[in-house]
Amino acid sequence: MELKEFEHYQRQHESFEIRVIAHAGSRYYQVMLEPADGATQILTRRGKPMLFRSLEDVYGELKQAGIRRAYLVQQVANDEIVGHEARYHDPLLSRMPLVF
Protein backbone atom coordinates (compact mmCIF):
# COMPACT_ATOMS: atom_id res chain seq x y z
CA MET A 1 0.00 0.00 0.00
CA GLU A 2 1.48 3.34 -1.05
CA LEU A 3 1.71 6.16 1.50
CA LYS A 4 -1.09 8.19 -0.13
CA GLU A 5 -3.39 5.14 -0.10
CA PHE A 6 -2.38 4.57 3.52
CA GLU A 7 -3.37 8.13 4.48
CA HIS A 8 -6.69 7.80 2.67
CA TYR A 9 -7.41 4.40 4.26
CA GLN A 10 -6.79 5.56 7.83
CA ARG A 11 -9.17 8.53 7.40
CA GLN A 12 -12.03 6.29 6.29
CA HIS A 13 -11.62 3.29 8.59
CA GLU A 14 -11.53 3.01 12.34
CA SER A 15 -10.84 -0.66 12.93
CA PHE A 16 -7.23 -1.32 11.97
CA GLU A 17 -3.85 -1.72 13.58
CA ILE A 18 -0.49 -0.31 12.54
CA ARG A 19 2.52 -2.50 13.25
CA VAL A 20 6.14 -1.43 13.10
CA ILE A 21 7.95 -4.67 12.33
CA ALA A 22 11.47 -5.22 13.63
CA HIS A 23 13.03 -8.38 12.21
CA ALA A 24 15.48 -10.20 14.46
CA GLY A 25 19.00 -9.84 13.11
CA SER A 26 18.16 -6.79 10.99
CA ARG A 27 18.57 -3.08 11.63
CA TYR A 28 15.62 -2.10 9.45
CA TYR A 29 11.95 -1.57 10.23
CA GLN A 30 8.84 -2.04 8.09
CA VAL A 31 5.33 -0.70 8.61
CA MET A 32 2.35 -3.02 8.24
CA LEU A 33 -1.35 -2.24 8.21
CA GLU A 34 -3.66 -4.92 9.56
CA PRO A 35 -7.36 -4.17 9.08
CA ALA A 36 -10.10 -5.93 11.05
CA ASP A 37 -10.51 -8.50 8.26
CA GLY A 38 -6.87 -9.60 8.73
CA ALA A 39 -5.60 -8.87 5.19
CA THR A 40 -2.23 -7.33 6.08
CA GLN A 41 -0.48 -4.88 3.79
CA ILE A 42 3.07 -3.54 3.91
CA LEU A 43 3.70 0.18 3.41
CA THR A 44 5.36 0.63 0.00
CA ARG A 45 6.98 3.30 -2.13
CA ARG A 46 6.86 2.89 -5.92
CA GLY A 47 5.74 -0.69 -5.49
CA LYS A 48 8.61 -1.75 -3.20
CA PRO A 49 8.42 -2.25 0.58
CA MET A 50 9.57 0.78 2.54
CA LEU A 51 12.47 0.09 4.89
CA PHE A 52 13.34 2.47 7.71
CA ARG A 53 16.73 2.69 9.40
CA SER A 54 15.42 3.98 12.73
CA LEU A 55 12.25 4.32 14.74
CA GLU A 56 12.61 8.08 14.41
CA ASP A 57 12.24 7.72 10.61
CA VAL A 58 9.15 5.56 11.14
CA TYR A 59 7.65 8.14 13.51
CA GLY A 60 8.19 10.92 10.96
CA GLU A 61 6.44 9.04 8.14
CA LEU A 62 3.53 7.95 10.30
CA LYS A 63 3.05 11.42 11.78
CA GLN A 64 3.00 12.85 8.28
CA ALA A 65 0.27 10.34 7.37
CA GLY A 66 -1.78 11.37 10.43
CA ILE A 67 -1.07 8.23 12.49
CA ARG A 68 -0.41 8.78 16.20
CA ARG A 69 -0.33 5.20 17.54
CA ALA A 70 1.22 1.92 16.46
CA TYR A 71 2.67 -1.28 17.90
CA LEU A 72 6.31 -2.28 17.76
CA VAL A 73 6.52 -5.99 16.93
CA GLN A 74 9.66 -8.12 17.04
CA GLN A 75 9.52 -10.96 14.52
CA VAL A 76 11.83 -13.88 15.12
CA ALA A 77 12.18 -16.18 12.13
CA ASN A 78 13.46 -19.06 14.29
CA ASP A 79 10.05 -19.48 15.95
CA GLU A 80 8.33 -19.95 12.62
CA ILE A 81 11.06 -22.20 11.21
CA VAL A 82 10.81 -24.72 14.05
CA GLY A 83 7.03 -24.79 13.83
CA HIS A 84 6.09 -22.56 16.75
CA GLU A 85 3.16 -20.23 16.35
CA ALA A 86 4.17 -16.59 15.81
CA ARG A 87 3.85 -14.87 19.19
CA TYR A 88 3.34 -11.34 17.96
CA HIS A 89 -0.41 -11.95 17.57
CA ASP A 90 -0.79 -12.08 21.35
CA PRO A 91 -0.88 -8.47 22.57
CA LEU A 92 0.70 -9.24 25.93
CA LEU A 93 3.73 -11.19 24.70
CA SER A 94 5.62 -9.20 22.12
CA ARG A 95 3.84 -6.01 21.06
CA MET A 96 4.93 -2.71 22.55
CA PRO A 97 2.59 0.28 22.12
CA LEU A 98 4.12 3.35 20.48
CA VAL A 99 2.56 6.80 20.82
CA PHE A 100 4.05 9.77 18.99
Side-chain angles (χ1 to χ4, degrees):
M1 174 179 286
E2 296 288 324
L3 189 57
K4 290 292 180 187
E5 295 170 319
F6 187 72
E7 291 175 21
H8 183 67
Y9 182 91
Q10 66 96 15
R11 282 189 217 121
Q12 293 190 346
H13 297 85
E14 291 183 18
S15 182
F16 64 91
E17 183 175 295
I18 304 297
R19 292 183 180 165
V20 177
I21 308 297
H23 297 280
S26 175
R27 293 182 297 198
Y28 295 102
Y29 298 91
Q30 287 182 305
V31 176
M32 178 188 295
L33 169 73
E34 182 168 332
D37 66 5
T40 61
Q41 295 187 36
I42 297 287
L43 185 61
T44 61
R45 179 175 286 146
R46 292 177 282 211
K48 296 184 180 182
M50 290 180 74
L51 296 176
F52 300 91
R53 293 179 186 231
S54 70
L55 284 176
E56 192 172 303
D57 294 342
V58 173
Y59 295 166
E61 285 290 333
L62 293 179
K63 276 181 158 179
Q64 185 177 1
I67 302 293
R68 299 288 179 245
R69 295 180 352 184
Y71 289 97
L72 178 63
V73 175
Q74 176 75 34
Q75 287 188 348
V76 180
N78 295 342
D79 285 346
E80 296 170 12
I81 289 172
V82 296
H84 290 223
E85 189 67 29
R87 297 181 184 180
Y88 52 85
H89 294 295
D90 187 343
L92 299 177
L93 291 179
S94 64
R95 296 181 336 160
M96 184 172 88
L98 303 173
V99 179
F100 35 90

